[in-house]
Amino acid sequence: MGKLERKNTLVAYSFLAPNFIGFAVFTLVPVICAIALSLFEWNGGDISKLKFVGLDNYATIFATKKVAEKGLAYFFNRADLGIALKNTVYYTVVTVPLTIICALALALLLNKIRGAVFFRTVFFFPYVSSMVAICVCWSFMLMKDGPVNQIIMALGINFNKGWTADSTMAIWSIILVSVWRNMGYYMVLYLAALQGIPRELMEAATVDGANKWQQFWHVTLPQLKPTTFFVSVMMVISCFKIYDVVAIMTDGGPGRATKMLVTYIYDEAFIKVRYGQASAISMVLLVIVLLVTIIQFGSEKKFSND
């Protein structure tokens, strides 16, 4: 290796080192510690009280003796965990398509209209705003006498429930805030994809007599498949990790109506101080997200451009 080549290599490593060190300190080491801790029983405090229990923490999670009695909510031995998993899956199944539809609709609307830059900034702004401020504002708007209910009642619908205080509406308040905050970010991705569609395709569709809907369905939407695939993967991972919105707006309540897997893990670790159990559940969540992502990548060919 020549002197110049060695110098260039060192410069390259100096640029890569801060990012790698940050990843190792804040991601890699905590993950390794969580994997190791899932094999121990530890209630905090003196580290000498760590007790190796092997896979007992996992066995406790997957004990299914109550399945025949109570159904899905009791798939796991602990009812809270079953409910948290059910709520997380429900939240993900609803939030991902809703966000994609809203982001795509916004992108189509703002692709060529006058003043598009201003509106793009407006819709992107929630994504870079403080999550605490967003949740506090939405909590106020979704109160029993808040602006949202006032608008609904002005439309002639008798609706006077506080969204975050009602067990059936609380999870929808979480979904609403998540969709509203994230759609601006994914709108930007769709805008970039829309501007990359070759004009020749649209001109050929027009010459063939395709109307606007046929152009969208047979030309635009197929060309957006790679972007839709990327957005769906990122959204699914993000939804399974939902914590901040729930913690600020409902704290998992009322009752257990908005309890999610990550809030359950937090309660296990920092409220009940069962670090081993919390780490084991974290590993289960990691495997769930990994499996879902592998399944999505398995269908990647369906999302490639024709």
Side-chain angles (χ1 to χ4, degrees), residues 17 20 25 49 58 60 70 76 127 144 153-154 161 177 202 217-218 242 253 259 269 273 275 289 301 305:
F20 178 77
V25 171
K49 293 181 179 178
Y58 294 94
T60 303
K70 300 293 182 181
F76 297 104
Y127 190 76
K144 184 177 179 180
M153 294 182 75
K161 298 177 180 177
V177 174
M202 304 303 292
W217 190 256
H218 295 292
I242 180 72
K259 179 77 74 179
V273 198
Y275 294 114
V289 174
K301 287 184 179 177
N305 279 336

Side-chain angles (χ1 to χ4, degrees), residues 145-275:
D145 299 322
V148 174
N149 279 5
Q150 295 293 332
I151 294 172
I152 292 174
M153 294 182 75
L155 296 173
I157 302 171
N158 185 19
F159 189 89
N160 59 353
K161 298 177 180 177
W163 287 53
T164 56
D166 184 82
S167 59
T168 57
M169 296 304 297
I171 196 164
W172 283 99
S173 67
I174 304 297
I175 292 170
L176 177 63
V177 174
S178 299
V179 171
W180 179 81
R181 179 175 184 266
N182 292 318
M183 65 182 183
Y185 172 72
Y186 294 110
M187 172 200 71
V188 173
L189 300 184
Y190 273 118
L191 275 170
L194 283 172
Q195 291 167 8
I197 296 176
R199 291 182 59 186
E200 293 80 4
L201 291 177
M202 304 303 292
E203 290 170 357
T206 304
V207 170
D208 288 342
N211 58 33
K212 292 295 183 184
W213 170 252
Q214 289 170 328
Q215 289 178 18
F216 168 74
W217 190 256
H218 295 292
V219 179
T220 304
L221 209 53
Q223 291 296 312
L224 295 177
K225 282 182 180 178
T227 304
T228 303
F229 172 74
F230 174 76
V231 170
S232 63
V233 170
M234 297 302 292
M235 278 296 303
V236 167
I237 295 172
S238 172
C239 286
F240 270 99
K241 296 191 301 180
I242 180 72
Y243 173 77
D244 42 11
V245 180
V246 177
I248 298 168
M249 293 187 67
T250 63
D251 197 23
R256 294 173 293 193
T258 57
K259 179 77 74 179
M260 303 291 178
L261 274 178
V262 178
T263 53
Y264 182 83
I265 292 169
Y266 179 89
D267 289 346
E268 282 290 309
F270 302 108
I271 305 297
K272 299 175 183 176
V273 198
R274 296 192 293 218
Y275 294 114

Side-chain angles (χ1 to χ4, degrees), residues 119-154:
F119 289 110
R120 291 172 193 172
T121 306
V122 169
F123 284 109
F124 186 76
F125 184 70
Y127 190 76
V128 295
S129 300
S130 163
M131 179 59 81
V132 174
I134 288 172
C135 292
V136 169
C137 289
W138 272 103
S139 295
F140 166 73
M141 291 196 294
L142 296 173
M143 289 172 64
K144 184 177 179 180
D145 299 322
V148 174
N149 279 5
Q150 295 293 332
I151 294 172
I152 292 174
M153 294 182 75

